[in-house]
Amino acid sequence: MAENRAVAYKAPGVVEVIDVDYPTFELKDGPGVNPANIGRKVPHGAIIRTVATNICGSDQHMVRGRTTAPANLVLGHEITGEVVEVGPGVEFIKVGDLVSVPFNIACGRCRNCKERKTGICLNVNPDRPGSAYGYVDMGGWVGGQAEFVLVPYADWNLLKFPDRDQALEKILDLAMLSDIFPTGFHGAVTAGVGVGSTVYVAGAGPVGLAAATSALLLGAAAVIVGDMNADRLAQARSFGCETVDLSEGNLVDQIEQILGVPEVDCGVDAVGFEARGQGHGADAKEAPATVLNSLMDVTAAGGALGIPGLYVTGDPGGIDEAAQKGSLSLSLGTGWAKSLSFTTGQCPVMKYNHGLMQAILHDRVHIAKNVNAKAITLEDAPRGYAEFDAGAATKYVLNPNGFLDAA
């Protein structure tokens, strides 16, 4: 039996690299696996040798103890890899293919998948629509921060890179296709970004930087990124964004100083439920509705909000009983009065990843540079998590099998 090493959540603030089973074409019992999925056969799956697997802010929510994730859950949903084995039901994906794995697990057969709503597939999670690798309440599919991982419905889910050598030359950029680049792009698209738009992106973490990159790719005239982390704001400025430091003054006033008017056409929430109140620096207290309310304030009437930031239905660390259930004090009256539209939920990665792959391969965008991607070893994952949690302006990319040594 081949060996396998993986990054697992142990307790709040603690991750470890542990020995785990090598994948098989059957879901086994384990931490977080939905009982209804135990024993599920996966003849349509492929086993992937991981080329790159990224640390995501969504992982960080679990590691902070802000979800109901169980101990020893194997983490990781941002996966790029090489196919090493395929099940008997796989027809088109071949051993040796280099592929991007959308973080959404989708069957390709249900009504939602057929309508390109792959973030809410009906057949992969017995509890609710939608699934993902290595994530709490997402069906229990084993995470990809590992040397090897199983991908179900391989012919449907996997995006094959057309040329192996070209892909390896741009592998850090292509590693962003599994989640944050399409997610940021989805946030910008659903916010209505187009040629000449003015855009406010709340949050300068990797998803916020990806949303800002996407807004520029879509033709925005001005992209403003807001945060309270000076290093992350500097990263946003490095590729042409304007920035506002939310610890140094009122958001509306700062936007007016940049644009001459106190509003933008489009707003993107790239923060989610662990948002902090604005204008209070490093000591700002958690205020989970603050980003959504501020976006409604600054987005012009008739505009739209793209909300790729994560919101959950179970948060043990929520500031009050309502927040612990995902109930927030939204100023919905503001949104109604201004006729704003909202788009929330998982990004349907497959809707965008092929086009964004082409943009990368043809040098139209350099997403790895914009999010400051940095390759580290699998064994170094605990340090990567700690530094990311401390606010590092870095997108950490794990390198379990040495493919990224040159990067």
Side-chain angles (χ1 to χ4, degrees):
M1 178 67 70
E3 297 179 350
N4 196 16
R5 298 274 286 165
V7 180
Y9 166 70
K10 303 296 285 188
V14 181
V15 298
E16 292 181 7
V17 181
I18 63 173
D19 293 312
V20 296
D21 291 338
Y22 184 83
T24 64
F25 295 105
E26 178 182 328
L27 268 184
K28 304 293 181 61
D29 194 7
V33 178
N34 189 296
N37 263 349
I38 295 171
R40 184 171 181 163
K41 307 296 184 185
V42 192
H44 42 70
I47 295 173
I48 305 296
R49 177 186 288 116
T50 304
V51 171
T53 176
N54 314 334
I55 295 175
C56 179
S58 298
D59 300 319
Q60 201 68 264
H61 293 307
M62 289 189 289
V63 172
R64 291 183 185 128
R66 297 300 299 269
T67 71
T68 55
N72 293 314
L73 180 77
V74 174
L75 300 166
H77 55 271
E78 299 191 13
I79 309 161
T80 307
E82 177 186 43
V83 177
V84 294
E85 190 175 350
V86 296
V90 177
E91 186 175 358
F92 304 110
I93 291 293
K94 306 298 181 185
V95 170
D97 287 346
L98 282 186
V99 295
S100 179
V101 184
F103 81 90
N104 324 107
I105 300 171
C107 72
R109 296 151 166 80
C110 71
R111 174 181 175 177
N112 285 350
C113 283
K114 290 176 180 179
E115 294 177 355
R116 303 181 78 189
K117 301 173 184 175
T118 53
I120 44 174
C121 173
L122 300 173
N123 289 332
V124 287
N125 182 357
D127 281 342
R128 65 179 71 173
S131 187
Y133 304 88
Y135 213 86
V136 60
D137 297 331
M138 288 291 185
W141 300 87
V142 178
Q145 287 177 13
E147 293 171 325
F148 298 91
V149 64
L150 171 69
V151 173
Y153 304 103
D155 281 329
W156 169 251
N157 282 304
L158 295 178
L159 174 67
K160 178 184 174 182
F161 301 141
D163 181 272
R164 182 184 180 91
D165 291 339
Q166 182 189 29
L168 288 173
E169 288 178 2
K170 297 179 179 291
I171 197 64
L172 278 181
D173 290 293
L174 294 171
M176 304 303 135
L177 289 173
S178 57
D179 182 356
I180 67 161
F181 196 10
T183 292
F185 194 83
H186 182 60
V189 167
T190 55
V193 177
V195 174
S197 297
T198 58
V199 186
Y200 174 61
V201 178
V207 170
L209 296 174
T213 298
S214 300
L216 293 171
L217 189 62
L218 289 164
V223 179
I224 303 169
V225 179
D227 206 298
M228 292 183 282
N229 181 314
D231 291 338
R232 291 182 173 182
L233 291 173
Q235 187 64 32
R237 289 192 295 273
S238 75
F239 58 92
C241 298
E242 302 281 354
T243 60
V244 293
D245 186 333
L246 298 169
S247 67
E248 293 186 352
N250 180 272
L251 172 61
V252 173
D253 291 343
Q254 292 191 69
I255 286 178
E256 186 169 19
Q257 289 172 12
I258 294 169
L259 297 178
V261 293
E263 61 184 16
V264 292
D265 300 320
C266 315
V268 179
D269 174 4
V271 179
F273 74 102
E274 286 192 74
R276 295 185 176 274
Q278 299 169 352
H280 304 291
D283 294 328
K285 294 182 179 180
E286 191 165 303
T290 189
V291 168
L292 291 171
N293 287 332
S294 65
L295 281 167
M296 286 189 279
D297 286 339
V298 302
T299 302
L305 307 185
I307 309 173
L310 176 67
Y311 290 87
V312 296
T313 56
D315 173 15
I319 59 171
D320 54 34
E321 185 177 348
Q324 290 167 14
K325 297 183 292 186
S327 297
L328 308 181
S329 297
L330 293 179
S331 179
L332 192 58
T334 300
W336 192 94
K338 297 177 75 173
S339 295
L340 300 176
S341 58
F342 301 65
T343 301
T344 66
Q346 287 189 37
C347 162
V349 171
M350 293 173 65
K351 188 174 182 178
Y352 307 111
N353 62 354
H354 184 272
L356 294 177
M357 175 187 73
Q358 294 286 66
I360 289 168
L361 294 177
H362 291 277
D363 289 319
R364 297 300 182 189
V365 66
H366 300 94
I367 184 64
K369 176 178 178 291
N370 289 6
V371 301
N372 194 27
K374 178 182 178 181
I376 61 175
T377 66
L378 188 73
E379 300 294 333
D380 226 5
R383 177 180 65 84
Y385 269 98
E387 292 181 359
F388 187 41
D389 190 45
T394 304
K395 177 66 173 177
Y396 288 100
V397 180
L398 304 182
N399 179 26
N401 291 298
F403 284 90
L404 305 182
D405 289 348

